[in-house]
Amino acid sequence: MMSESEMLTRYLQEQRDALLWKLDGAGEYDARRPVTATGTNLLGLVKHVASMEIGYFGEACGRPNAVDMPWLAETAEPNDDMYATADESREWVVDLYRRAWANTDAVIAELGLDAEAVVPWWGEKTRRTDVRRLIVHMIAETARHTGHADIVREQIDGFAGLYDGNDNLPDDDRAWWDAYRARVQAAAEAFA
């Protein structure tokens, strides 16, 4: 039996690993290029999630942030945390994320689940919370953005799946997928 802390940390780590897996095999350009109207891109998603972990398990837990994050400063442009600048290498973004999660894991181990946390960017009624809720929030945040990364990556080169070693998709060929997509399209067109 795992402890509650071990279980929550395991679920968070699975989402972290899945998010980084979306970068595997993607070229530098493809990892950076926006594929949605709002500019969503793979490295930006990793940078954003790393930034959230740093904030939640740094400032909100009464610890110094693991790194300086000028992209979140009041003077920063909106969404500066949602893309990697030309000066921010892929390796730098991945390292930022790995440092963020190492810091998170250390804070969880040191403080425990019941330790108080104060999230200044949450509303007055909800900002006082505990480490347990921050972990659950980070699992949800990471899973949400990992789903975005899955769709972004599929748009780039068709690479899809749940996580390394388990894509959780039917094991069928391109013809099967084309026929499946045609069935879905036909069902949609019945309501056009």
Side-chain angles (χ1 to χ4, degrees):
M1 291 278 295
M2 284 188 281
S3 70
E4 181 183 10
S5 180
E6 290 169 331
M7 178 186 63
L8 291 171
T9 303
R10 183 181 135 233
Y11 274 96
L12 178 57
Q13 189 60 51
E14 286 176 357
Q15 291 305 311
R16 292 165 171 164
D17 292 339
L19 180 56
L20 284 187
W21 182 53
K22 297 305 169 183
L23 290 172
D24 282 1
E28 192 69 33
Y29 171 73
D30 283 335
R32 294 170 174 274
R33 72 179 169 108
V35 298
T36 70
T38 58
T40 305
N41 63 89
L42 294 171
L43 273 181
L45 289 166
V46 174
K47 181 180 172 182
H48 172 72
V49 173
S51 301
M52 295 303 96
E53 275 208 45
I54 291 166
Y56 282 116
F57 294 92
E59 181 180 354
C61 288
R63 301 291 192 271
N65 284 340
V67 299
D68 183 41
M69 297 185 293
W71 53 87
L72 292 180
E74 287 185 25
T75 57
E77 290 288 325
N79 279 2
D80 271 358
D81 65 321
M82 295 298 293
Y83 74 101
T85 67
D87 296 336
E88 296 168 342
S89 71
R90 174 193 194 124
E91 292 75 23
W92 182 86
V93 173
V94 169
D95 182 63
L96 172 72
Y97 192 30
R98 291 184 189 281
R99 287 186 302 158
W101 82 44
N103 180 70
T104 296
D105 293 349
V107 168
I108 293 167
E110 180 184 333
L111 298 181
L113 299 180
D114 296 322
E116 182 182 43
V118 179
V119 184
W121 53 90
W122 286 1
E124 187 64 40
K125 291 181 179 180
T126 59
R127 70 176 40 150
R128 291 188 125 12
T129 189
D130 58 27
V131 170
R132 176 182 288 102
R133 182 168 176 213
L134 294 183
I135 299 168
V136 171
H137 181 81
M138 235 17 261
I139 292 168
E141 177 93 7
T142 307
R144 178 175 190 246
H145 292 306
T146 299
H148 294 148
D150 195 32
I151 292 168
V152 167
R153 184 62 189 268
E154 188 173 355
Q155 292 301 305
I156 291 169
D157 61 8
F159 182 83
L162 186 60
Y163 56 84
D164 192 16
N166 177 12
D167 66 14
N168 205 33
L169 295 169
D171 190 23
D172 288 296
D173 61 16
R174 185 74 251 158
W176 183 90
W177 281 107
D178 290 345
Y180 170 75
R181 189 175 188 290
R183 283 195 317 274
V184 174
Q185 181 66 36
E189 287 174 1
F191 291 91

